[in-house]
Amino acid sequence: METILKLNRITKFYGRIRALNEVGFVVPRGAIFGVLGPNGSGKTTLLGIVMGVLRSNSGDFNWFDLPPTHLQRQQIGCLLETPNFYHYLSGKRNLEIVAQIRQRGHADIDAVLDLVRLTERKDSKFNTYSLGMKQRLAIASCLLGNPSVLVFDEPTNGLDPAGIAEIRSLIRRLAEEGKTIILASHLLDEVEKVCTHVAILQRGNLLTAGRVSEKLVNEEFVEAGSEDLTQLSQIMSAFPGLKETKKMDGHLEFHFQDDTPRLSEINLFCYQKGIILNHLLLRKRSLESKFIELTKSESN
Ligand code: ADP
């Protein structure tokens, strides 16, 4: 696995506010890497540091396994703030101006417009664009020069559901083109739907980092009830692989170590021990509740 970005114990203070506390993780090539956390958790600060806009107080980071240089950062397409486009100029003309400012050629402007699906509207004035189209033009401006890495801060902020879906499919398309994408978001849903990897921040602390499939898995458990819950709990304590039993209002929750057994196995097990279940249900704990629990336990 090739490493695109490696952060090592990054700490940042704003006066007495500690915005980042020894944050470290690795972004592999080809990842869509989500930096997830509530507002104020340090996401923008983190992106600002790796893009060389802000300085950390301690810790370091490497792009492409090399010490940071100005030139290197030019090879990273970055959207930390919404760019100022000229309202009365077309989308295409705006990109030509951006390319000129960055001393890049105009050769790839049409390709970039195509990638963000703005070809049909490339000659329309910027102020006739929807919010989603404006955001796609902003992303297009990062794609000039064909950078292999893209960094976006809250790319769907302020967009309606249709606009959010457009950006999501654009991000997937960019990943398919082989780009590594790092994006900050406070929306669990966004990260879950589009990202392959995640780092969860809370008040500047890294709670966890890794593959989304491992870090944000849905957790299954079984809900069951019978006339005598104490007896049910006792009998089920001998069930292979049972990790935890929680007493709820009128029923029990059974959590298992690895795979959750089939309901029919549980039903048969209880029946053979003389217990008739009057309630049996497979439930999934939502990612939402897992995320809330993760961020809550840290603040206590
Ligand atoms: P996020 O992007 O997750 O919303 P930020 O990186 O913007 O978080 O902020 C992290 C913390 O640092 C917050 O407590 C915020 O108030 C503080 N902070 C951010 N920028 C500044 C600044 N320029 N001066 C002082 N405090 C700041």
Side-chain angles (χ1 to χ4, degrees), residues 141-257:
S141 73
C142 306
L143 298 175
L144 295 171
N146 196 23
S148 64
V149 181
L150 298 164
V151 176
F152 300 140
D153 194 6
E154 302 275 2
T156 59
N157 239 10
L159 301 183
D160 61 9
I164 290 173
E166 282 167 8
I167 299 294
R168 194 177 286 147
S169 61
L170 171 57
I171 287 172
R172 287 206 190 96
R173 266 201 313 280
L174 294 170
E176 277 164 21
E177 298 245 317
K179 301 198 186 294
T180 303
I181 298 158
I182 302 169
L183 64 92
S185 175
H186 68 284
L187 303 172
L188 172 70
D189 186 51
E190 178 165 283
V191 169
E192 184 203 341
K193 284 196 171 126
V194 81
C195 293
T196 58
H197 292 71
V198 66
I200 303 181
L201 285 180
Q202 208 243 348
R203 295 192 192 168
N205 292 301
L206 180 72
L207 299 188
T208 183
R211 288 185 165 278
V212 167
S213 55
E214 288 163 17
K215 297 298 167 185
L216 292 178
V217 282
N218 267 315
E219 224 169 84
E220 282 186 348
F221 61 92
V222 172
E223 230 179 63
S226 69
E227 288 289 314
D228 185 342
L229 291 181
T230 313
Q231 192 192 16
L232 175 60
S233 174
Q234 268 166 9
I235 295 292
M236 276 299 289
S237 65
F239 196 97
L242 184 80
K243 189 171 68 182
E244 194 187 2
T245 301
K246 289 185 186 168
K247 288 196 171 58
M248 310 306 280
D249 191 21
H251 65 267
L252 300 177
E253 263 183 34
F254 297 114
H255 297 254
F256 295 86
Q257 254 140 29

